[in-house]
Amino acid sequence: MEFVTNFAQSFIALFQEAGLTLVGMVKGSVPMLIVLLTTINFIIKIIGEDKINNVARIFGKSKILTYGILPSFAWFFFSSPGALTVGRFLPEKCKPGYQDALGATAHPLTALFPHVVPSELFIWLGVAEGIKKVGLPVSGLAIRYIIAGVIVGLMRGFITEIIFVFLSKRRNLQTKTA
């Protein structure tokens, strides 16, 4: 009987702790996220969506820009699902690699820019809380996480393009190379 009582108390304690964490996020992270999203949307309106799309076309001319920088740029300015649509200006052979690079960079960028993939913010906040508890700086981890994500995105995008072009040639599909 004591086991059941202890289990019930532990079960409720888990939800009480989760509730405290949620209240902390609502007081700290949610207002910051709303202000950040408003600011990003304001910047996009000032610059103009057409100009940002033109930048995407320019980025598409270089592998490093296409798979290393453009995904981060797209996530930062357009978030989800807008970042996915930026790839429409790229040559056909680059589109699968761009999508792969997006997948590699989205979650690391959330470490410093929570508007990128807000649903992943709770995972990052959990990691950050653990890092804080052991006395390590969170910002250094976030920067290293972003750098690793961009490098992995660059590699994945480039490799995916190679595979896509190979399979397209093998199946006699036409891909635009310009």
Side-chain angles (χ1 to χ4, degrees):
M1 188 65 156
E2 187 176 327
F3 169 76
V4 174
T5 305
N6 288 339
F7 177 77
Q9 288 173 342
S10 298
F11 186 74
I12 292 302
L14 172 70
F15 286 98
Q16 288 171 333
E17 188 65 33
L20 291 174
T21 302
L22 178 64
V23 168
M25 288 181 192
V26 168
K27 285 180 11 185
S29 300
V30 172
M32 186 236 352
L33 182 60
I34 291 169
V35 170
L36 186 60
L37 281 170
T38 304
T39 304
I40 296 295
N41 287 327
F42 177 71
I43 291 169
I44 290 170
K45 294 290 183 192
I46 288 176
I47 294 172
E49 201 168 324
D50 291 340
K51 288 180 183 175
I52 292 176
N53 288 335
N54 287 337
V55 170
R57 283 189 200 100
I58 292 167
F59 277 29
K61 296 179 181 181
S62 162
K63 300 296 178 230
I64 291 174
L65 292 176
T66 300
Y67 305 129
I69 306 300
L70 183 59
S72 299
F73 179 84
W75 280 124
F76 184 79
F77 284 103
F78 294 108
S79 194
S80 181
L84 302 170
T85 63
V86 171
R88 72 181 185 260
F89 300 107
L90 297 173
E92 285 301 313
K93 71 175 191 161
C94 297
K95 289 179 181 179
Y98 172 75
Q99 294 297 323
D100 200 358
L102 275 177
T105 57
H107 307 295
L109 284 170
T110 303
L112 285 182
F113 309 109
H115 70 284
V116 171
V117 185
S119 60
E120 291 294 320
L121 181 60
F122 296 103
I123 294 170
W124 169 252
L125 289 174
V127 170
E129 191 61 33
I131 294 298
K132 285 182 197 173
K133 282 187 180 178
V134 295
L136 297 173
V138 176
S139 57
L141 176 64
I143 302 245
R144 288 190 297 276
Y145 189 35
I146 290 171
I147 291 168
V150 169
I151 291 170
V152 168
L154 177 64
M155 292 185 318
R156 284 177 52 174
F158 187 70
I159 291 168
T160 300
E161 180 181 320
I162 291 170
I163 293 169
F164 176 74
V165 169
F166 173 78
L167 293 175
S168 296
K169 286 180 181 176
R170 192 173 179 190
R171 294 186 178 173
N172 294 323
L173 297 175
Q174 295 294 322
T175 59
K176 296 177 187 175
T177 57

